[in-house]
Amino acid sequence: MTNSVHEILHLARIYAANRGHSLNTVSLRMAGQGSLFGRLEQGLADVTTRRCDRILQAFSDHWPAKLEWPPDILRPAPSPALPRKRGRAA
């Protein structure tokens, strides 16, 4: 496993424990694929550098404010807030 995969799995475990979610739920929310993190743990999957970057960005964007980001993992700057879509005009 690459360092990036170790970092993703470390963040996923911390996030899951803090939010009371399963690893599959966190995988679905952060990577768009519920089984990915479990498969990474088992060595049955790999991810590209680009996908690792997107997953790390997703964690950074959704990291709880009261939860400390692990100091041994470089955190990407959170993305600027996007304007919320308004309901359709009637």
Side-chain angles (χ1 to χ4, degrees):
M1 262 189 271
T2 65
N3 283 343
S4 295
V5 171
H6 282 290
E7 291 174 352
I8 288 169
L9 293 174
H10 184 61
L11 291 170
R13 288 184 202 104
I14 293 169
Y15 187 90
N18 178 265
R19 300 304 243 178
H21 296 315
S22 69
L23 193 60
N24 286 349
T25 297
V26 175
S27 182
L28 181 61
R29 291 184 178 175
M30 298 301 170
Q33 186 178 0
S35 63
L36 180 63
F37 293 170
R39 292 176 52 232
L40 287 172
E41 278 189 318
Q42 297 170 359
L44 300 175
D46 201 4
V47 290
T48 64
T49 301
R50 186 178 193 173
R51 190 161 189 199
C52 279
D53 290 345
R54 286 195 314 254
I55 293 169
L56 286 170
Q57 187 65 57
F59 274 114
S60 183
D61 291 346
H62 296 95
W63 200 256
K66 294 182 180 179
L67 183 61
E68 183 179 343
W69 184 271
D72 57 330
I73 298 176
L74 182 62
R75 182 177 184 175
S79 300
L82 299 174
R84 293 184 180 247
K85 291 183 180 179
R86 294 183 182 213
R88 280 199 257 170

